[in-house]
Amino acid sequence: MSILLRILFAEKLDEDSREPVITFSPPLSSAAYGLLCPSLSFWLQMAAILVLQSIICNALAVIVYFFIVQRRGTAAAFLTGYGFVIPFVIAMPIHFISWLDLRNTCFMICVASTPVLLTFRCLEAMYGFSPPAVEARVTNYMLYYGSVIEFVFDAKTNHPIKSTIQEALAKAKRFLIFYL
């Protein structure tokens, strides 16, 4: 797997060397603008980073669930949180960036943002502020722990509630209107 990652991350993407497909100059301006095609290498590397981070988040979620949530309030739970999980997630980006030899700023920000979420999720687990439905099963906790997006859980079944197509379209419309 390490060889595959080395091949995938061989292109460092520290400079944008793409050529514009279309260039144009607006009227009454001497500036020229160009339209660039997406970089396949960038998106493949970003997908690989997100998959690797998801694997790490899920592994940590299992550790946090069984050693902190299930033993909340004990010295072992606090030692696991403060002695292993939080130091691991704080040190993880440095090793991750050097292991993959990341040089792209966007990738480094993506990797460096994960510890913020995981530190807060670990503190929630230690002090009992995780949602009750999340703590019902380890799979719910894995979903919750590794996701930036908050899920809504059914209070009776403790399963995530699926959004309807109408809800998804309404959210997408609101998102697009906000950014246009």
Side-chain angles (χ1 to χ4, degrees):
M1 176 137 167
S2 182
I3 295 171
L4 179 64
L5 289 174
R6 296 283 177 207
I7 293 169
L8 181 62
F9 288 94
E11 190 176 350
K12 297 302 165 198
L13 300 172
D14 50 354
E15 286 185 19
D16 192 357
S17 59
R18 297 175 292 166
E19 293 294 324
V21 178
I22 300 171
T23 54
F24 59 93
S25 295
L28 305 173
S29 173
S30 61
Y33 299 96
L35 183 64
L36 302 171
C37 286
S39 168
L40 179 63
S41 180
F42 174 85
W43 290 107
L44 288 174
Q45 288 182 23
M46 180 62 85
I49 288 170
L50 293 175
V51 166
L52 291 170
Q53 283 185 313
S54 295
I55 291 168
I56 292 169
C57 287
N58 284 326
L60 284 171
V62 170
I63 292 168
V64 169
Y65 184 79
F66 287 111
F67 293 99
I68 296 176
V69 172
Q70 297 293 315
R71 300 172 184 186
R72 185 175 290 129
T74 65
F78 287 110
L79 281 172
T80 303
Y82 285 120
F84 172 71
V85 176
I86 292 175
F88 178 81
V89 300
I90 290 172
M92 180 189 66
I94 297 164
H95 298 294
F96 205 81
I97 289 169
S98 66
W99 178 53
L100 295 175
D101 193 23
L102 298 179
R103 297 183 192 163
N104 185 290
T105 306
C106 183
F107 295 157
M108 288 190 273
I109 290 171
C110 179
V111 170
S113 64
T114 303
V116 176
L117 174 69
L118 298 184
T119 300
F120 283 120
R121 297 290 164 112
C122 184
L123 291 170
E124 283 179 348
M126 288 191 296
Y127 292 99
F129 291 106
S130 299
V134 167
E135 294 181 356
R137 287 194 306 271
V138 69
T139 52
N140 286 359
Y141 200 77
M142 289 168 67
L143 185 66
Y144 173 74
Y145 198 81
S147 179
V148 176
I149 300 168
E150 293 288 331
F151 289 89
V152 178
F153 289 87
D154 187 344
K156 294 178 184 174
T157 63
N158 290 330
H159 289 288
I161 298 173
K162 293 182 180 180
S163 63
T164 63
I165 293 173
Q166 292 82 11
E167 289 173 329
L169 290 174
K171 298 276 184 188
K173 180 181 172 185
R174 190 169 60 189
F175 176 80
L176 291 173
I177 288 172
F178 181 75
Y179 283 103
L180 292 178

